[in-house]
Amino acid sequence: MRKEEVQEIFLQILKEEEDVSAGVAAIRTLLTVIENYKVATVRELDLNLQLAVDAMRHCDQPVTAISSSCELFMRFITFAKLDVKSFEECEQIMLQRGHIFLETLLEARGKIAKQALPFINDGCKILTHSRSRVVLQAMLEAAKANKRFHVYVTMSGPDNTGVLMHKQLLAGGVDATLILDAAIGYIMEQVDIVMLGAEGVTESGGIINKIGTYGLAMSALELKKPVHVLTESFKFSRIYPLNQQDLPNEFKYLSGVLKSGRDLSEEHPLVDYTPPAYITLLFTDLGILTPSAVSDELIKLYL
């Protein structure tokens, strides 16, 4: 198995399905590796999976969700090694557990949307940043429940992903206004809640998300606006950054930038770190959590 083959599978999934996240695409890629690249020992299978994870980390895609989802997937399926004697049985059990893990991920957004529904009230004004699939689903579900609310969406430079979020909200019948990132402070006093997605959740309960999230959260705290984060538990990661510089470079920059040898101080980071003090609640498929509860949930996930 070559890295290029894995990267082609991974990127093809992302290309064909606009609504699939990088984390889910990574899990589907690992399952394809188990099914299609036959080996004779658990050791060889482990090496194949590790090679696949490394290949996906170098695909010029955001690494945060890929890293956490693959780590949890590997942890979940490899308990099979302890259960059976033959490799064939082990491989089948790993595949079965892998598909169960994937099904759980695919159900997560729906669970989160239901939990967030009572927090979206008629007449409320919501500020969101960039484009989050789970936030979009929650808002569309609220619109289907005949709730009337207004959403302010940041353009979210440098790639302006908020433009697509704004377009999809309007298409789903949600009143929405696209705003400049620089208008966050101006708009903040008008909104009732901030609703964000996350690319990753740290062990402290802070989040790694699109650049600009930290500044938005600081503005919300100053004006006493609740900040709700909607995120799947597969994005929980066992990292504990203390500040922006403490985030691994592979999270902040695409692999192409890291390989280029360019001066990173001149490059625009993709994400920033928002500490738990700025977050009110996290809505997850495990339930509604305070930031301090994330470390307990991580312990359970890794048991």
Side-chain angles (χ1 to χ4, degrees), residues 39-106:
V39 293
T41 67
V42 170
R43 175 63 178 163
E44 288 178 291
L45 182 55
D46 272 348
L47 289 174
N48 265 1
L49 292 174
Q50 292 296 344
L51 183 147
V53 173
D54 185 62
M56 289 185 285
R57 284 172 172 266
H58 294 86
C59 274
D60 256 13
Q61 293 291 323
V63 167
T64 311
I66 296 172
S67 176
S68 59
S69 62
C70 287
E71 188 176 353
L72 282 170
F73 176 84
M74 297 283 281
R75 180 79 178 176
F76 185 77
I77 69 165
T78 51
F79 281 124
K81 299 175 193 176
L82 306 175
D83 297 342
V84 295
K85 293 181 180 179
S86 75
F87 172 71
E88 291 74 17
E89 288 179 273
C90 177
E91 187 178 41
Q92 286 305 309
I93 291 174
M94 289 172 83
L95 266 176
Q96 289 169 9
R97 291 185 179 183
H99 284 292
I100 291 169
F101 188 83
L102 178 61
E103 287 170 14
T104 302
L105 299 194
L106 295 176

Side-chain angles (χ1 to χ4, degrees), residues 158-215:
D159 55 1
N160 294 337
T161 48
V163 174
L164 177 57
M165 179 76 166
H166 175 249
K167 181 179 178 180
Q168 290 176 316
L169 286 169
L170 292 178
V174 177
D175 291 333
T177 302
L178 188 66
I179 66 168
L180 295 171
D181 293 11
I184 284 172
Y186 177 84
I187 291 293
M188 189 64 73
E189 64 183 20
Q190 303 176 41
V191 305
D192 299 296
I193 59 173
V194 174
M195 194 166 279
L196 304 169
E199 292 193 20
V201 180
T202 70
E203 198 164 351
S204 65
I207 64 168
I208 301 166
N209 197 42
K210 181 70 180 289
I211 190 74
T213 301
Y214 182 36

